[in-house]
Amino acid sequence: FFFTNRPTLVTMAEPDDLYTLRAQFWLGHYQMAIEEAKSIARRPMPPNLKAEREEFLSRAYIASGQQDKATAMTDTPALQALALKAQFELSAGNEDIQATLVDQIKTLAASDPSPSIQLTAAQVLLAAGQTKEALQQVYMGATMEHISMILQIYLKLDRLDLAKQQYNSLRQADEDAILTQLGNVYVSLAAGTTGAADALHSLNSLTEQYGASPLLLNLTAVGLMSQGDYAGAAAKLEECIRDFSDVVVIPDTLINLIVCTVQQNKPANDLVAQMKEQYPAHPYCAGLDRVVSAFERESIKYKV
């Protein structure tokens, strides 16, 4: 299910009232995005930008762990889709409720296939393990966020070749856009050791220009791990936990720190326990439990 034909890509316009808001959100500065969205709330702007501002505010709430605030924002179909996404995340571990929410967002996307709703639906479907359905939501969307989403899906499917095609589409639309720079980072990191230096160069530039965020620090740590610098990667992750203690610790930080710790032959039991306590329904925890159970079953055969 790999799609390549699409209408002409909608490029980013000249900077407008939401330029800073978008940049902050895409780079993982979610609290700053929330503050920016609130600060420009009374600024005169066209209706489409007002609607987009509300959507980015809701998205920032969800990304920063404030899903309850997003569930209360339901004035438009796009906000209703985001409210369903927030409920989906709040229902982690309850498969029945999540299945119902997935059906609801599919219905909403079918009745109102706007780019915003398609993007949100794709994110929920991807989280629900419905990769093909997620790709179908965005593959003809023709916005830069849609193309960025397609790139992520192809990387999840281990199709680096197709992900590179999406990155080229982003470059053709706007080579200097933040989404394009992030696309380069993701593709370079997926290439492994050969792309790590390029990814780190881009990440350093973004960090110098916009400041560090949990997202940028985690991506930097991944680049350092690809180069075998686990101590340097761990330092970035510890910086993330230290400097963003007022922000919900994203699971990526803990998972990456567990990897760095194990690779340095250090005990990671406390980190694993923290991960299981804070994110018991995360796929990493489920996968770890499966591996441990399989090991225990096999080890019984060799008991004397």
Side-chain angles (χ1 to χ4, degrees):
F1 46 91
F2 304 111
F3 308 101
T4 55
N5 296 323
R6 65 168 63 96
T8 304
L9 181 64
V10 176
T11 61
M12 299 299 291
E14 291 298 317
D16 55 30
D17 288 325
L18 302 187
Y19 179 85
T20 300
L21 173 59
R22 297 190 196 98
Q24 290 170 341
F25 178 83
W26 289 332
L27 292 169
H29 291 292
Y30 303 124
Q31 191 55 46
M32 291 173 62
I34 291 170
E35 294 170 0
E36 172 70 13
K38 291 179 178 179
S39 71
I40 62 175
R42 296 186 178 182
R43 185 180 301 173
M45 62 181 71
N48 64 309
L49 290 185
K50 288 184 178 180
E52 188 180 354
R53 185 199 71 84
E54 288 293 294
E55 291 164 22
F56 269 101
L57 177 60
S58 178
R59 292 170 69 180
Y61 279 142
I62 295 171
S64 62
Q66 303 177 67
Q67 289 90 344
D68 56 323
K69 294 183 178 179
T71 60
M73 301 173 65
T74 58
D75 292 343
T76 66
L79 290 174
Q80 291 167 19
L82 287 165
L84 289 172
K85 179 185 178 182
Q87 292 174 42
F88 179 88
E89 293 188 3
L90 289 172
S91 303
N94 193 320
E95 295 182 1
D96 291 338
I97 293 179
Q98 286 195 327
T100 299
L101 292 167
V102 167
D103 289 340
Q104 290 177 8
I105 202 162
K106 282 182 177 179
T107 300
L108 181 58
S111 63
D112 186 353
S114 66
S116 295
I117 294 176
Q118 289 175 332
L119 180 65
T120 303
Q123 293 168 345
V124 172
L125 290 167
L126 190 62
Q130 299 186 25
T131 309
K132 179 180 179 179
E133 291 81 356
L135 186 57
Q136 288 173 333
Q137 288 290 331
V138 293
Y139 85 99
M140 289 291 284
T143 71
M144 291 191 73
E145 277 204 283
H146 281 203
I147 304 307
S148 182
M149 185 70 189
I150 298 170
L151 184 153
Q152 294 279 358
I153 292 174
Y154 283 149
L155 288 180
K156 181 178 176 65
L157 295 168
D158 292 324
R159 290 301 305 266
L160 179 58
D161 56 326
L162 295 176
K164 286 180 177 179
Q165 292 179 13
Q166 307 311 311
Y167 169 59
N168 288 333
S169 294
L170 291 172
R171 287 186 62 189
Q172 291 171 10
D174 187 344
E175 189 166 11
D176 296 324
I178 287 174
L179 288 177
T180 304
Q181 295 180 62
L182 288 174
N184 175 56
V185 168
Y186 291 126
V187 168
S188 298
L189 289 177
T193 305
T194 57
D198 188 23
L200 289 170
H201 175 74
S202 296
L203 288 165
N204 288 336
S205 297
L206 287 170
T207 301
E208 288 177 3
Q209 186 173 358
Y210 297 98
S213 71
L215 172 65
L216 294 177
L217 287 169
N218 270 273
L219 290 172
T220 301
V222 172
L224 292 170
M225 281 190 278
S226 295
Q227 294 182 327
D229 185 3
Y230 295 103
K236 291 294 182 182
L237 297 167
E238 289 164 358
E239 176 187 345
C240 180
I241 294 174
R242 181 184 67 250
D243 293 352
F244 297 94
S245 58
D246 58 332
V247 179
V248 176
V249 178
I250 59 176
D252 305 60
T253 306
L254 293 175
I255 294 170
N256 287 330
L257 193 52
I258 289 169
V259 173
C260 289
T261 302
V262 171
Q263 289 293 330
Q264 295 179 89
N265 296 316
K266 296 179 180 179
N269 295 342
D270 290 345
L271 291 169
V272 172
Q274 183 180 355
M275 182 68 194
K276 288 184 174 182
E277 179 183 356
Q278 295 185 4
Y279 300 98
H282 194 279
Y284 175 86
C285 296
L288 184 60
D289 288 341
R290 285 195 299 270
V291 172
V292 171
S293 297
F295 177 82
E296 290 177 348
R297 287 194 303 271
E298 289 298 314
S299 65
I300 293 175
K301 300 177 182 179
Y302 302 96
K303 284 187 175 181
V304 294

